[in-house]
Amino acid sequence: MSLDPQIDALLEKLTEGGAPAPESRTVEENRDLISSFSTLAGDVEPVASVHDAVAAAEGLEVPVRIYAPVNPPHSGPRPVTVFFHGGGWALGDLDSQDHIARIVANRSGTIVVSVDYRLAPEHRFPAAIEDAYAALTWVAANAGSFGGDGQNIAVFGESAGGNLAAALVQEAQRRGGPHIALQVLAYPAVDRFDDSPSMYQNMAGPVLSRSWLEWFWGLYLHTPDEGIDLRVSPARSDELAGLPPAVIVTAEHDPLRDQGDRYAQKLADADVPVTHLPIKGATHAFLSFTGSVQLSRDVLNQLADAVATAFNG
């Protein structure tokens, strides 16, 4: 299927005049590029409150941003969604996907805690997943201090954040907690050694090319051998039984599509409840395009609704 017309129009506008390939740019240049993506999200959606904090746990201090929803569905402590932004473990911050946190908070009625995990290459693997687990344990222990319910937690990650969310639920199971009620994975990277058809069909992108993906992996890992670690490649785990229900989004025009598809099937084969949403006409990172792409907003709404349903039935 061809690209969604609104995505196609947006990408044409973004590529006008040409630009060097992302993998040929410096880390700082690519960080500036990803920061500019925040303008594609549209108007800032108001929430009841937003404030920054520090999640101090596991011997770490991880910056987080806490969003309280407008008009929560009920009084009392609210479920918490722990959110991990994308950006190839090297790009992005609390601002780059601020719109996702805001929309999910309001639509799901949960408090969203967005995690500013350490980035590569300054902090390579396993820094990001260690920060993710520390943030999760802090939320479970301290949610009451910001009106949350530490016994009702969902995790939501997109792209590299999806990798962290997928690895985190496995890590939490291995360590005996905290309990996670739902995992939402948007076009996640879950297998470092994936060599499936989508890696070739979409090797030139759009948005994420295979060469740019390799650039990210090179920044994140110390050595290629680390890719076998299940905290890097959670889809390679054979210990999936008992993991929390999953909602997995894959995009048709994304090199990561097939590994996400396979992980959804592998979870289902392990009797994990899975909702798999293969989005036709979409590219990697399409949830960043909510300002002008209706498909992006519709899918993000659907994901937020899935979070709401997990806690409210």
Side-chain angles (χ1 to χ4, degrees):
M1 180 178 172
S2 59
L3 284 174
D4 173 87
Q6 290 180 322
I7 293 179
D8 193 23
L10 176 62
L11 295 181
E12 280 195 20
K13 185 176 181 180
L14 291 175
T15 56
E16 284 177 358
E23 63 272 17
S24 70
R25 303 185 189 201
T26 67
V27 172
E28 286 305 320
E29 287 171 339
N30 274 321
R31 285 176 178 166
D32 290 341
L33 174 66
I34 291 300
S35 293
S36 70
F37 264 42
S38 63
T39 63
L40 306 178
D43 295 337
V44 175
E45 180 164 325
V47 292
S49 67
V50 56
H51 70 277
D52 292 345
V54 174
E58 304 294 314
L60 298 169
E61 294 187 345
V62 184
V64 296
R65 184 168 292 166
I66 302 172
Y67 300 79
V70 173
N71 300 322
H74 52 76
S75 60
R78 294 185 289 281
V80 181
T81 301
V82 183
F83 174 68
F84 303 97
H85 67 78
W89 309 276
L91 318 177
D93 53 28
L94 293 176
D95 296 325
S96 58
Q97 277 101 3
D98 171 77
H99 70 290
I100 294 180
R102 290 172 176 271
I103 291 169
V104 170
N106 283 340
R107 184 94 181 187
S108 71
T110 65
I111 295 173
V112 172
V113 177
S114 183
V115 181
D116 195 16
Y117 55 87
R118 286 172 289 170
L119 299 179
E122 296 89 346
H123 305 281
R124 296 175 184 261
F125 173 80
I129 186 61
E130 288 176 344
D131 285 0
Y133 186 76
L136 173 68
T137 59
W138 179 83
V139 166
N142 296 278
S145 68
F146 52 82
D149 180 354
Q151 302 302 309
N152 283 294
I153 299 173
V155 296
F156 186 136
E158 66 111 34
S159 190
N163 168 274
L164 295 177
L168 179 60
V169 296
Q170 294 186 18
E171 188 73 356
Q173 179 170 274
R174 283 190 287 268
R175 296 196 191 191
H179 173 72
I180 298 170
L182 179 72
Q183 53 177 320
V184 180
L185 314 176
Y187 34 84
V190 286
D191 186 355
R192 168 64 183 99
F193 301 111
D194 178 35
D195 197 43
S196 55
S198 65
M199 280 287 185
Y200 297 93
Q201 294 164 1
N202 301 308
M203 68 183 303
V207 181
L208 178 65
S209 65
R210 188 166 186 176
S211 55
W212 199 17
L213 179 60
E214 289 299 320
W215 183 86
F216 284 123
W217 282 122
L219 293 178
Y220 184 46
L221 302 180
H222 294 90
T223 67
D225 290 346
E226 286 183 328
I228 201 67
D229 193 303
L230 298 182
R231 296 170 296 170
V232 174
S233 299
R236 291 186 165 258
S237 174
D238 292 322
E239 304 289 334
L240 303 179
L243 289 178
V247 180
I248 299 179
V249 170
T250 53
E252 181 182 15
H253 301 279
D254 182 0
L256 301 179
R257 180 195 68 212
D258 290 350
Q259 61 183 271
D261 291 349
R262 285 202 315 274
Y263 190 47
Q265 186 58 57
K266 193 171 182 179
L267 287 169
D269 290 344
D271 294 325
V272 175
V274 177
T275 300
H276 179 209
L277 304 174
I279 308 302
K280 299 294 186 183
T283 66
H284 191 79
F286 75 98
L287 293 182
S288 291
F289 306 154
T290 51
S292 62
V293 177
Q294 188 62 44
L295 177 65
S296 302
R297 185 59 186 254
D298 289 346
V299 173
L300 185 51
N301 285 345
Q302 191 172 358
L303 297 179
D305 289 346
V307 174
T309 300
F311 296 116
N312 299 312

